[in-house]
């Protein structure tokens, strides 16, 4: 299973990475630290089984990416996250 995590906070990334390793071994976790990097990975690195998207990113709002993915009708599950 391939998971793309769009998150700029390394502490949150490490928490998710450890949780996946402990509870769901076999995940291939890729991390994008901003929207631009996520867009590049989505364009060249698919297919993805799940996207975790932080809402507060340094170069925009995670919901912008969610809208783009819905408009493109990509067959991927999305989970939006926020600490706010």
């Amino acid at each position: 299973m391939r998971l793309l995590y769009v998150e700029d906070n390394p502490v949150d990334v490490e928490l998710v990475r450890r949780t996946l390793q402990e509870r769901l071994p076999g995940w291939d976790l890729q991390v994008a630290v901003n929207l631009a990097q996520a867009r590049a990975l989505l364009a060249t690195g698919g297919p993805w089984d799940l996207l975790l998207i932080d809402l507060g990113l340094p170069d925009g709002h995670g919901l912008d990416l969610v809208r783009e993915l819905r408009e493109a009708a990509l067959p991927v599950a999305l989970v939006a996250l926020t600490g706010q």
Side-chain angles (χ1 to χ4, degrees):
M1 303 280 284
R2 297 191 68 208
L3 185 143
L4 176 58
Y5 188 18
V6 186
E7 173 62 71
D8 62 315
N9 183 330
V11 173
D12 290 342
V13 170
E14 187 55 32
L15 178 62
V16 166
R17 187 181 313 276
R18 267 188 281 140
T19 301
L20 287 172
Q21 287 173 344
E22 292 171 6
R23 299 191 178 142
L24 298 169
W27 282 89
D28 173 21
L29 178 66
Q30 296 285 318
V31 176
V33 297
N34 57 41
L35 292 174
Q37 189 176 25
R39 288 177 180 121
L41 285 169
L42 287 163
T44 61
W48 303 97
D49 297 301
L50 175 64
L51 270 66
L52 297 176
I53 304 170
D54 183 26
L55 295 183
L57 295 162
D59 60 344
H61 200 279
L63 285 179
D64 295 334
L65 184 59
V66 170
R67 283 186 203 97
E68 292 169 23
L69 294 170
R70 292 196 64 182
E71 288 173 7
L74 291 179
V76 62
L78 302 169
V79 177
L81 307 169
T82 184
Q84 299 175 352

